[in-house]
Amino acid sequence: MAEGRYDSGDGSVAGRQHISARFSAELEAIKNALLEMGGKTESQINLATRALLNGAGDVAQEVVAMDKDINRMEVDIDEQCARIIARRQPAAFDLRLIISIAKVTTDLERIGDEATRVARMALKSSIREPVRGAESQTMAIAEHGSAMLRRALDAFARLDVDAAVRVLLSAQSAQTDYEEGMVLLQAAISNDPTSLKSCMDQIWALRSLDRVGDHACNVAEQVVYLVTAVDIRHVDEPTLVKLLDSGADT
Amino acid sequence: MTNPDMFDYPDLNSARIRDEKINTLMTAATGAATLLAVVSVVAFLGFIVLLGGAWLAEEQALSATVGQQHSSNFELLLFGGRELASSGGVLPAIVGTVVLTLLMAVIVAPLGIVVALYLTEYSGGGWPTQLLRIGVQNLAAIPSIIYGVFGLAFFVYVIGGRIDELFYASNLPTPTFGTPGLLWASLTLALLTLPTVIVATEEGLLRIPSSLREGSRALGATRVETIFRVVLPAAAPSILTGIILAVARAAGEVAPLMLVGVVRYAPTLPVSIEAPFLQLEQKFMHLGFYVYDLTMHAPGSEGRVGIVAAASLLLVSVIVSLNIVALLLRVRLRRTYVQSGV
Amino acid sequence: MDHREALIAASNNRANLNYVAPGIEVQGLSLTYPDEPNALIDINLSIPGGEVTAVIGPSGCGKSTLLRCFNRMNDMLEGCQYSGSITLGDLNILDPMTDVTLLRRRVGMVFQQPNPFPMSIYDNVAYGPRIGGLRRRRDLDEVVENALRLAALWDEVKGQLGKNATVLSLGQQQRLVIARAIAVQPEVLLMDEPASSLDPISTLRIEELIYELKQSYTIVIVTHNMQQAARVSDRTAFLNQGQVVEYDATDKIFTNPSQRATEDYITGRYG
Ligand SMILES: Nc1ncnc2c1ncn2[C@@H]1O[C@H](COP(=O)(O)OP(=O)(O)OP(=O)(O)O)[C@@H](O)[C@H]1O
Ligand SMILES: [Mg+2]
């Protein structure tokens, strides 16, 4: 992918400037807005996890508040996409860029929702008692999810198909943590039925954090579509590996 | 002005004042020139109309007192009054002028159109074409009497002589075509006006956008079909303008005609209502020559100006009517073939 | 076969529902003007029959020149030379022995500027059929009406077919010259910017007409309007400086062109 058709080394979309500088600026702005939204969801996840594990109510409050911003950003970016389609009739790369941005906002917004859900859980449990039982697994899943998200957004910013495919290939690596966590929490319930409520909360939190990785995968898939125009949403792993080997330059 | 300090351009101001002065001056000058032109034309026409009209009125009064048959000015002029009668009246001269001019137009129009077609549509546009074009344009600058000399030498003696030898040998030594006559006069005038028709037609043809020719060719038309169905019809108004100019010029010519067919008095008209309708070899009378002849030879000095003015009035009327007919034709053509807006 | 027979054969062909117009094969076509030695350079295109092919590219890249090769209009230009081969079905278009008047009845053309003849609307449309030998008033009436209907102009001019065509609006003129071209029943219709001076509604009408004509006509359309090319064509050729840079399905060209130059052109970037 080193000498692909799109290298955004100089920070501009696809490297070459439009004759209409305003159009380039518009695309650049919308892309930056998306990355800003991504950064915000990423920190939302991290904060929510901390709130959950440390029982920090104020941090959880903060995460819930952030969700309003995320929602507003999603609406805003989608609006800009619609405006560009209406006014510029983008084609080829520009068209794919707008389509993928519109899709990525949905995933980012969902990630925000998951973070908020975790934060609400943290808020509840901070009133009762801190959740205990599968802290290390929760931590691992959260970190893994947010790392995937960060790398996917990074790949988006750099139009790096390789990195995006790697994000997809790494999706399974948190699976054992998830299963371990589940086993631990189920054991905790059978040992102490009174912990049912808090353990269930934690199971939900685990699920939410695990979903972050799925959404990050969707983002990575959009990067591959954006750069190569190949839709890899429903292909199996060997095909992905091949994509990696071939330099993904279809 | 938002900021007088910044936008104060004294130079611009003085330039505007100077422009306005020049403008006023130009308006005055062009207006004066136009006025002069109008005044001279009006004076000239007024002179002819007044003098000619006055003479006609006087003539009628005279004939009325004398008790002759003449009852109207019109008949008076046509068949000759007290003095005109001696030369057979002005009617034969009118007929001669009209027949000569029409015959000339019939000859010059196809010839001019064909030459113009060759120049614009067929010749490559290289230097031989340019040379030919310049030659044609310069033909227009040759004095008309030279055409008369050429007509006499070439048409009358060379061609006419040959025709007599071939077809009218029995009449020799009395010449039939080997002497000045209507045909040779028409041909001479046709030659004289050929450049006018060629130039006007060429201009018209060049103005037809090549997109029309391409459009026709793209529909499967050949070059000839394109010329006859699209190019010529579209150029018709210009061609007719050329013919109008040619007619105007030819009807007023006198000098060359004196050499190739016009006479002071012709006993018969060159046209008749029975076959062969047109006597091409006949000599004929002509209004222009008639005016000249009257001026030089009319008896009595005090009546002379009046007669001449009356005959001139007639000549001008004939030319104007010929032009009006052509103009009406052109208006009709233009309505049918509006110049393409492309 | 003379013009009249060709005309009858063409309209009989059209009557057959399964009829598909022939395609055009261009091989190694190069063309030079006296002062433009590289007007077209080694063009290879396989234009399928019964489809719409768009030719796009910057001004002066040779689009009109290419189009004018298909009906040999370049023959009329002094000093224009070409080599290579173009075939329409089994007709060798560039063969010097090919009768260009017959060729042009099979390959109709609509020019970049509408060029109605300075005569009546009726005579404009009837021009080609008349040249082809159609004389009966009844036949001509039918051909004229059909062509005007197809070109979406009939309703606007039906009461005034005797009106001079040059007083029509530019958009009407553009549809008139399309009607004039299809009145000859060509197999191929070359359209050089057929909507360059039209309002959006008339443009859509013409695009709709193109859509209706395809299958029984092979249509090649030159356009500067990317969206128009994307809307009407099945295949798109991108020309630059006399060369075919990319030729592919329109969907492919407008979502994922394989050449960087194509992408730069259709997305409006510096080359
Ligand atoms: N008759 C001609 N004689 C000489 N050169 C010509 C002629 N016609 C076109 N050219 C040249 O050939 C090149 C291609 O011209 P062409 O008209 O095919 O361009 P085009 O792609 O149709 O442009 P546009 O989009 O502006 O119509 C141009 O460089 C032009 O200058
Ligand atoms: Mg062009």
Side-chain angles (χ1 to χ4, degrees), chain C residues 51-127:
Chain C
E51 287 193 8
V52 180
T53 300
V55 180
I56 59 172
S59 201
C61 71
K63 304 181 296 293
S64 301
T65 303
L66 176 64
L67 226 53
R68 293 163 59 93
C69 287
F70 296 156
N71 62 349
R72 297 261 303 263
M73 283 307 276
N74 289 321
D75 286 17
M76 288 173 69
L77 300 176
E78 203 74 28
C80 170
Q81 292 181 327
Y82 46 78
S83 61
S85 101
I86 306 177
T87 54
L88 168 69
D90 46 14
L91 176 72
N92 182 348
I93 291 181
L94 296 188
D95 185 345
M97 298 303 290
T98 298
D99 178 353
V100 290
T101 61
L102 265 178
L103 165 70
R104 288 171 188 157
R105 303 192 68 80
R106 294 183 63 185
V107 183
M109 181 166 213
V110 174
F111 290 83
Q112 198 158 3
Q113 296 290 322
N115 55 350
F117 301 136
M119 49 180 87
S120 73
I121 294 171
Y122 185 97
D123 289 341
N124 261 279
V125 182
Y127 188 87

Side-chain angles (χ1 to χ4, degrees), chain C residues 246-261:
Chain C
E246 189 167 354
Y247 176 50
D248 212 328
T250 299
D251 287 337
K252 175 81 166 58
I253 296 271
F254 282 91
T255 56
N256 184 30
S258 54
Q259 298 299 313
R260 189 179 166 137

Side-chain angles (χ1 to χ4, degrees), chain B residues 4 7 10 21 30 41 92 132 135 162 170 201 257 268 282 291 315:
Chain B
F7 294 96
K21 274 185 189 155
T30 49
V41 170
L132 188 58
R162 179 55 51 86
S170 54
T201 306
L257 297 179
T268 51
Q282 265 202 22
V291 171
L315 180 56

Side-chain angles (χ1 to χ4, degrees), chain A residues 36-202:
Chain A
E36 191 195 331
M37 181 181 174
K40 199 147 190 160
T41 51
E42 191 192 324
S43 63
Q44 224 188 350
I45 289 292
N46 293 338
L47 289 175
T49 313
R50 216 169 76 206
L52 184 71
L53 295 179
N54 301 346
D58 49 344
V59 176
Q61 291 282 7
E62 197 185 326
V63 172
V64 173
M66 277 166 85
D67 197 47
K68 285 217 171 57
D69 292 345
I70 302 278
N71 289 346
R72 207 198 53 243
M73 284 169 116
E74 184 200 18
V75 171
D76 195 46
I77 292 173
D78 282 354
E79 230 174 68
Q80 285 183 51
C81 285
R83 197 158 50 226
I84 286 184
I85 290 173
R87 295 175 68 133
R88 300 282 185 181
Q89 289 100 39
F93 180 88
D94 301 339
L95 177 64
R96 300 198 302 270
L97 178 68
I98 296 299
I99 291 176
S100 52
I101 285 177
K103 287 192 165 166
V104 167
T105 52
T106 311
D107 280 303
L108 292 182
E109 195 270 339
R110 293 267 163 78
I111 291 176
D113 286 351
E114 305 292 359
T116 310
R117 192 166 300 152
V118 173
R120 289 233 161 81
M121 234 79 83
L123 218 50
K124 264 200 285 175
S125 53
S126 73
I127 301 166
R128 288 197 308 269
E129 83 258 38
V131 176
R132 292 285 170 259
E135 297 101 318
S136 73
Q137 285 81 6
T138 307
M139 194 67 203
I141 289 170
E143 269 173 4
H144 182 252
S146 95
M148 273 174 76
L149 176 62
R150 189 172 57 246
R151 279 158 51 212
L153 288 170
D154 221 42
F156 197 103
R158 288 186 289 110
L159 305 176
D160 188 341
V161 175
D162 255 24
V165 173
R166 291 218 170 79
V167 169
L168 293 170
L169 290 174
S170 72
Q172 299 306 310
S173 63
Q175 199 58 34
T176 39
D177 283 319
Y178 181 70
E179 276 154 17
E180 261 177 45
M182 282 299 178
V183 170
L184 278 177
L185 288 166
Q186 275 162 17
I189 295 172
S190 6
N191 288 348
D192 176 11
T194 59
S195 72
L196 177 72
K197 236 186 162 73
S198 77
C199 282
M200 278 308 289
D201 278 356
Q202 206 173 349

